[in-house]
Each structure stands twice: as structure tokens, then as C-alpha cells.
Amino acid sequence: MAEKGVKLFGLWASPFSLRVEWALKLKEVDYEFMDEDLQNKSQELLHYNPITKKIPVLVHNGKPLAESTVIVEYVDEAWPNGYRIMPQDPFERAQARFWARFAEDKCVPAVFNVSINSGEELKKAIKEAQEVLKTLEKALEGKKFFGGETIGYLDIVAGWMPCWLRMIEEIAEITVVDAETLPLMNAWFDNFLEVEVVKRSLPPKDKLYAFNRARREQFLSGQ
Amino acid sequence: MASDDVKLIGAWASPYVMRPRIALNLKGVEYEFLEEKFGSKSELLLKSNPVYKKIPVLLHGGKPICESLIIVQYIDEAWSGHSILPSDPYHRAVARFWGHYIDDKWFPALTGISRAPTDEAKKEAIEQVFAGLKFLEEVLEKSGAGKPFFGGDTIGYIDIALGSHLGWLRATEKLSGLTYLDESKTPLLVCWAEKFSAHEAVKCAMPETDKLVEFAQMLKAKFSAYIDALSPSITLFSSLNYICSL
């Protein structure tokens, strides 16, 4: 029996499956969202991704793909008519991929460290996060979005930060990104959260805050 | 089409530098190889890759492209001729996935062996390396269908991503006495490794195993006090980490 359609295995609270949802929504692709319990992963997920066993996993007409940044590029290529996610020029594409790699390798752990620390460690983590964001800011110079006038690949890959970092700032009562410290990044945060597809797909605020508050507490209490 | 001026900043021993060299060779693109001096970073490198300050860096018409697999994709897109990535979007995504896996999971497991603090941790790291090779053996079997390379009849993206590590893998086998590419475990990969290393586009870029062993021993001697403080066993991968941080 040939499997048809698009399924996305993810987690409602995961920034990584959300970025795939943004890509699918920009392309106006219908998909079924399979919300996973990461403590009790479904047989289907393990069947489709036996290698890393992680979400997100996209299954398109029965064919599975893992690794969110890879999936976003795939969505752009598999539905070539419609919203353009990757730049066309090879050099611009290389730049977008380079900064996406930087955002994953440096910004993800830096923001994670902010979210799990307090006191002196937190101060140190904030400084380090600001440094990597200052570097990433270079890719925004002269532009509203990383993709130019509209959001593109790098916006989608880095786009979890406007939501998650602002939330962590509120929960931990700190400031990491503001108009003084990181003006371009701060403006991009605001602009990104105003994008229609982003606005209507963010997880419910209260639920997400409660989830992340609990997670921070767990880490702080040393669990 | 962009300028013909193509330069590659690199070093002979780096597996990451091998990748764009193979890609350029496959496309038949002439380039100038700018070899970094051991122990220092040139002004050009620092200017071209201010974020990471690492090799390889491709300079095409003066414009820098960094990160080895990103460079390989750029080369595939900027020049026509031999296709490095598959033409079908799904297979292209699968190739990219394995590129990520090799760099983000398999290779760190390999370098993790020598850094493992206990015998138990070391055993686990070794198992991870073999498990990764088993996955790749299955990929070769499925996508190959009797073909010599991951890319089919010709070298493709996964071949380049994995094959670039063969030099150091063989050097490690010599130094540690442990066989990673084992005919009884991954026969297709063993056969593939030979064909890959003998390929026209690869031969000139693949460092000789003995030279790598010599290089690793030289580094160990140079940094032995530092290395011994970290771990009593030969840290070949400290050498490799050093190369990769160039």
C-alpha cells in the first residue's frame, strides 16, 4: 500500500519541529502533525528514524527524512513552485548555509546555557550568548530579515530565538537582546514575530512558558 | 559564470580540506592550493574566515566560502559537469543527512575514543563508531545496488564526506592496532574504501597513511607534556583535533 501525503513527527514544544512547520506552511503544504512523547517514542518514529531516533522526522509519501535543517531545504526543493526559501545564487546559498550552521553550532548551546544557569554562571552565559549573537548579527546588516525583504532559510533556522530567548529572558528575569546591546538582532526579533506564518503557528504561550519554567527549575535544582 | 580565479586555503593533512579538493577535481576546475604553514594562520585565512579562522576556505573570484561540506555544495552548484549531489530532491536530502551524521555524530564518536575517561566509556565510543559504519554499510548496499560508490557509478557527496576520513582512519588503525574497516563486519565499505582511494579525483588529494602517522607522532612529541596530562594513552585524535582546528 503506497503511503501518500505528508506527516511530521515532532513535539509541540520543540523549536526544531516548529521550523519544519514554518517551511511547510510557507509552501502551503497540508501535513499531519504527530506529536511525540519523547519519554515514550512511538514505534512509527523509531521505524522512520532508526539512526538518531530524534524528532523532527518528515515522511513524504512514505519516504522519511531527519535533521531539521536538511528537511527545510528538502521542503524548498520538493515544492519548487510557491514561496522561495533558499536564495537562488550559489554564493548566497553558501552564505545562508554557513550562518545556519553557525546558528546551530554556537547559538543553540549558548542560549541553552542561559536557560539552565543562575548567578555567576548565568552572567557568564549571557555574555557568551551576546557575543555569538553579535557575530550572527553581521548577516543582518542592511536587511530587515536574513533573507532580505522576506524571510528565508536562515530566518527559519534561527527563528526559534525571537520566541524562545524572549521567553527565557522573562522567566529568568534577565536581558540578553535589546536595542542597546544588539540593535539589529532586536529589530529582527520584532520583525520575525510579526510574520503571519510565525504568528499563527507559535505554541500556546502559557503552556510553553510553564514547560520552560519547569525545565529551568529542573536544571537549577540539579536534576 | 563567475570569475575563473579559484583558490583553496588548506593543509595537506586535513580531511576537511580534502573534500573541496576532490569536488574541484571532479568538476575539472583548476585552482591554486594555498598551503597554510604549520603552527600559524595566514593573514589571508584570518581575513577570509574571521568567524572560525579555520581551513578549508574556497576563494572564488575573491569571495570566500567556508565549511567543507558547504564548499562542496557550492562547487556542485557553481560549476556544471559531474553532479556531486543527486538530482532528485529526496536523495539529495538523504545525502545531506548523512553528511551531517558523519560530521556531527560519527566523527565525534571516533575522536571521543581517545578522550574517553574510563574503559567503559571507551568501549561505548568504539561501539558507536562501529554502529555508524554498519549504518553506512547499509546505505551503500541500498543506494549502491552493486555499484562501487554511494553516488552509484561515480563519486558523490556521501563518498566525499566519508572518504575524506580514510587517511586518518588508516593512520589510527596503524597506531592503535584496532581495525575499523573490517571485512567481516563491513565488506562493502572495505571494497569501497579501496576504489575511492584509487579514484583519479581522490588520489592526488589523499595524504599517505605513513606521513600521517609520522605527523601524529611528531605532534605527540611536541605536545607530549600537555597530552600526557590529559590522558596516558596515545591521543592520536588530539593530533586530529589539532589539524581540524587549523
Side-chain angles (χ1 to χ4, degrees), chain A residues 64 70 73 77 93 97 101, chain B residues 64 77 90 92-93 96 104:
Chain A
V70 170
E73 270 205 69
E77 294 174 5
R93 290 159 74 86
R97 287 176 183 135
R101 184 87 191 159
Chain B
E77 292 169 9
Y90 178 71
R92 218 169 18 246
R96 287 183 181 128
D104 296 349

Side-chain angles (χ1 to χ4, degrees), chain A residues 159-192:
Chain A
W160 62 277
M161 285 197 288
C163 174
W164 265 260
L165 188 49
R166 287 247 163 95
M167 170 176 55
I168 291 162
E169 285 176 330
E170 199 176 305
I171 292 172
E173 292 170 358
I174 51 169
T175 303
V176 182
V177 175
D178 66 13
E180 260 182 68
T181 54
L182 289 151
L184 297 181
M185 193 59 65
N186 191 57
W188 174 71
F189 272 32
D190 290 338
N191 291 329
F192 187 80

Side-chain angles (χ1 to χ4, degrees), chain B residues 18-75:
Chain B
M18 248 188 95
R19 293 165 166 185
R21 293 185 79 175
I22 297 170
L24 289 165
N25 291 343
L26 286 167
K27 293 285 190 183
V29 173
E30 302 255 323
Y31 66 96
E32 191 185 348
F33 186 57
L34 302 171
E35 180 116 34
E36 284 288 296
K37 246 197 271 250
F38 172 70
S40 69
K41 294 184 197 227
S42 68
E43 274 308 306
L44 184 62
L45 173 61
L46 297 175
K47 195 181 87 172
S48 310
N49 188 359
V51 174
Y52 291 113
K53 305 176 175 53
K54 284 186 183 185
I55 50 165
V57 178
L58 183 77
L59 292 162
H60 187 197
K63 294 202 282 194
I65 300 110
C66 309
E67 292 297 290
S68 62
L69 290 181
I70 291 174
I71 300 173
V72 169
Q73 289 182 76
Y74 172 80
I75 291 168

